[in-house]
Amino acid sequence: MSAVAWIAVGSLAAWVWLLLGQGFFWRTDQRLPRREEPDVWPDVAVVVPARDEAEVLPMSLPSLLAQDYPGRAEIILVDDGSEDGTGALARELAGLHGGLPLTVVSPGEPEPGWTGKLWALRHGIALARERGHEHERREPEFLLLTDADIEHAPGSLRELVAAAGSNGLDLVSQMARLRVVTAWERLVVPAFVYFFAQLYPFRWVNKAGARTAAAAGGCVLLRTQAAARARVPDSIRQAVIDDVSLAGAVQRSGGRIWLGLAERVDSVRPYPRLGDLWRMVSRSAYAQLMHSPSLLAGTVAGLALVYLAPPLTLCAGVLSVDGVAAWAGGLAWAVMTATYLPVLRYYRQPLWFSLLLPFTAVLYLLMTVDSAVQHYRGRGAAWKGRTYARPEAAPER
């Protein structure tokens, strides 16, 4: 066989393995498990870290204030050094809409070794637990950790708590449905979810005794005692990819975790330009590879073999009348296309977008390489005016 044919066969073999051996990552049927309402609804504290979120807060915070929850619940918004009036706007929205009680706190700049979000969560969680003791009641049984750009349907909190209680779960996380309005969002966002599920197959995460751990940071319901056992967020204070690190810490401490796609939880943050999406991905892509040049090289080679080789070897095989290359490359591309269809349906996008997945994969490959370049230039893991050192370089407290 020709070299092109060997590449095509290798790509096809990789796709057969991904199709059948990677936890059926391409399926989108992992939704909230069975839910039975408890006799007594537990107390919940909703903790919202927020840094310069005045643009999205009017769309997201009212949905939390309006939660239809039968038990006691409160919202703690942690204003993480905002310069756009986020805290004042939150108080104004609470006064306008009413609903669940809201407290806004500002913990100041993070101490060395902490990322901003985890520093904010630390203070929000501590305040929630202290308030329980101050009011001579037990601390909240659950913490809902949710981002400031996440909009929740009225019964979202109720369903999350019921799912956790009915299934004995310590962590329940839903991957919010991201916004897909602009052309770039429609091209890049569904692939983001597809690639995430490929790295962390939801079925593997949700299996009892699983070794795979992941969560989606926009919506995480966490038992307070599980957080205490796992010592979070202190034990993961340096983590840039905080949601996966949080799930891993809970799992290692003996907690049961669950991750799935959301039906009633949506992100309202716009990413209108390619540059916006590029920064979203590149800020943490190299951290995902543990800042390893060898892992970066392997990832680039793997992406090329899995996503670029099928269409290229198909074309090369047709042009050179290489039947094996054309047949194997075409079949690999067909399998790739078929696995992408469920995510496109979930996002209500045209199914022919699946043919563009190789091009989108090239964009992600370039974002990953750029993430490494920015890291070595001292600008890696940058977000909203802060740049974080790689974990081993961060000083201990």
Side-chain angles (χ1 to χ4, degrees), residues 270-285:
Y271 293 99
R273 297 172 295 274
L274 176 60
D276 301 316
L277 290 158
W278 194 288
R279 285 186 290 274
M280 178 191 75
V281 175
S282 65
R283 70 186 177 96
S284 60

Side-chain angles (χ1 to χ4, degrees), residues 33-270:
R34 67 180 181 87
R35 301 178 291 283
E36 297 176 2
E37 295 195 348
D39 295 331
V40 178
W41 288 89
D43 293 358
V44 181
V46 181
V47 181
V48 186
R51 178 173 172 82
D52 293 335
E53 298 288 9
E55 179 184 3
V56 297
L57 214 57
M59 295 176 282
S60 60
L61 185 57
S63 74
L64 287 173
L65 294 167
Q67 281 301 298
D68 176 23
Y69 186 67
R72 181 185 289 111
E74 66 170 333
I75 303 169
I76 300 173
L77 186 140
V78 187
D79 185 2
D80 180 21
S82 299
E83 298 179 353
D84 65 350
T86 289
L89 177 59
R91 294 185 183 95
E92 181 182 332
L93 291 169
L96 179 65
H97 294 276
L100 298 184
L102 171 74
T103 300
V104 178
V105 295
S106 300
E109 282 297 302
E111 292 182 1
W114 283 84
T115 65
K117 180 178 178 180
L118 290 172
W119 178 253
L121 287 176
R122 177 178 187 261
H123 283 266
I125 292 171
L127 178 60
R129 299 184 70 179
E130 290 169 4
R131 284 190 145 194
H133 299 303
E134 286 176 1
H135 292 83
E136 298 183 349
R137 62 173 185 260
R138 293 182 301 175
E139 62 186 20
E141 185 174 338
F142 286 100
L143 304 162
L144 175 60
L145 314 180
T146 184
D147 288 346
D149 64 338
I150 301 299
E151 181 180 28
H152 293 257
S156 172
L157 179 58
R158 183 180 192 138
E159 292 182 351
L160 285 165
V161 171
S166 301
N167 298 276
L169 299 169
D170 296 290
L171 182 152
V172 178
S173 179
Q174 288 185 294
M175 177 166 280
R177 200 189 302 260
L178 304 176
R179 200 186 90 137
V180 283
V181 176
T182 68
W184 286 115
E185 288 172 340
R186 297 172 73 190
L187 179 68
V188 174
V189 165
F192 177 84
V193 177
Y194 175 85
F195 292 141
F196 184 91
Q198 193 175 88
L199 283 172
Y200 305 102
F202 294 175
R203 275 181 171 73
W204 287 1
V205 172
N206 300 340
K207 185 178 179 181
R211 297 180 179 179
T212 303
C219 176
V220 177
L221 184 77
L222 177 64
R223 286 187 189 271
T224 306
Q225 288 306 308
R229 285 197 307 270
R231 296 180 51 250
V232 295
D234 295 63
S235 63
I236 59 169
R237 62 186 180 275
Q238 304 172 31
V240 175
I241 309 175
D242 49 81
D243 44 13
V244 174
S245 299
L246 171 64
V250 172
Q251 186 189 73
R252 287 191 298 273
S253 65
R256 285 197 57 197
I257 65 176
W258 184 94
L259 170 64
L261 294 174
E263 295 176 342
R264 307 179 68 198
V265 179
D266 301 281
S267 172
V268 297
R269 187 181 303 282

Side-chain angles (χ1 to χ4, degrees), residues 271-341:
Y271 293 99
R273 297 172 295 274
L274 176 60
D276 301 316
L277 290 158
W278 194 288
R279 285 186 290 274
M280 178 191 75
V281 175
S282 65
R283 70 186 177 96
S284 60
Y286 198 41
Q288 182 72 62
L289 300 177
M290 298 180 287
H291 305 101
S292 167
S294 58
L295 283 178
L296 174 65
T299 298
V300 170
L303 285 172
L305 175 66
V306 172
Y307 291 101
L308 305 187
L312 294 179
T313 55
L314 170 60
C315 294
V318 170
L319 293 174
S320 64
V321 198
D322 186 335
V324 174
W327 172 83
L331 188 54
W333 196 3
V335 176
M336 179 202 313
T337 300
T339 62
Y340 195 38
L341 295 177

